[in-house]
């Protein structure tokens, strides 16, 4: 009977140690995204006798792993506003981030002034924002 109790206690202890060591597998990845150096720019083009512009709002995303397990996929949703309307974009990166590491990725929105009568549309300089984050 004593040996049976010791065996059960030993199995329980090994199970407990195994479950505690596996808790890391059930942890969700944690990260943060930050927008750095947002600016606007434009390119001028000529088509026949008219000039048109492609206007950009550019930024740099800093993506950091703030958790204790690897991040294998980062998905960031962004918005930017012009004088006419709001634009949305979702970007996803399959880059492995180790705990404590960061990456920097350029992002941009653009529109062509030839389309839909956008000749007077301009970007609002500080309008680019992060509106959603997901980590896998």
């Amino acid at each position: 009977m004593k040996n049976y109790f010791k065996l059960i206690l030993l199995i329980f202890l090994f199970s407990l140690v195994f479950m505690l060591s596996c808790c890391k597998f059930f942890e969700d990845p944690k990260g943060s995204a930050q927008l750095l150096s947002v600016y606007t720019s434009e390119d001028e083009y000529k088509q026949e006798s008219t000039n048109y512009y492609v206007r950009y709002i550019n930024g740099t995303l800093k993506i950091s792993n703030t958790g204790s397990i690897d991040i294998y996929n980062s998905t960031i949703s962004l918005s930017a506003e012009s004088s006419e309307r709001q634009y949305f974009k979702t970007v996803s990166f399959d880059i492995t981030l180790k705990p404590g590491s960061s990456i920097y990725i350029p992002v941009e929105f653009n529109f062509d002034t030839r389309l839909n009568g956008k000749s007077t549309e301009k970007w609002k300089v500080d309008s680019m924002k992060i509106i959603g984050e997901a980590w896998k």
Side-chain angles (χ1 to χ4, degrees):
M1 186 71 147
K2 270 186 165 180
N3 288 338
Y4 181 71
F5 179 71
K6 286 181 183 178
L7 180 63
I8 290 176
L9 183 62
L10 191 62
I11 289 172
F12 174 75
L13 289 175
F14 277 121
S15 299
L16 185 62
V17 168
F18 178 75
M19 286 186 336
L20 290 175
S21 67
C22 288
C23 285
K24 199 172 191 179
F25 293 115
F26 300 110
E27 185 180 335
D28 287 335
K30 293 179 182 70
S32 69
Q34 183 180 8
L35 266 172
L36 308 172
S37 68
V38 176
Y39 62 95
T40 60
S41 62
E42 68 181 20
D43 292 329
E44 183 177 4
Y45 297 95
K46 259 189 193 225
Q47 183 178 25
E48 297 171 6
S49 63
T50 60
N51 292 356
Y52 70 94
Y53 300 92
V54 176
R55 295 192 172 120
Y56 303 92
I57 186 165
N58 307 287
T60 301
L61 270 177
K62 177 183 180 184
I63 299 173
S64 302
N65 185 341
T66 59
S68 61
I69 61 171
D70 290 355
I71 293 176
Y72 297 102
N73 178 278
S74 307
T75 303
I76 310 296
S77 294
L78 303 157
S79 70
E81 202 172 323
S82 74
S83 56
E84 305 293 322
R85 68 184 206 103
Q86 195 165 13
Y87 292 81
F88 299 94
K89 176 183 277 193
T90 299
V91 291
S92 186
F93 309 102
D94 291 328
I95 299 171
T96 301
L97 284 173
K98 299 288 182 192
S101 64
S102 297
I103 57 172
Y104 299 87
I105 298 177
V107 291
E108 78 175 12
F109 287 85
N110 65 6
F111 62 82
D112 186 333
T113 60
R114 291 177 296 177
L115 305 174
N116 302 325
K118 296 180 180 179
S119 60
T120 60
E121 186 174 8
K122 304 246 185 214
W123 288 112
K124 293 182 180 176
V125 179
D126 294 330
S127 68
M128 191 184 287
K129 293 182 177 98
I130 296 171
I131 56 174
E133 304 172 357
W135 316 102
K136 290 182 186 175

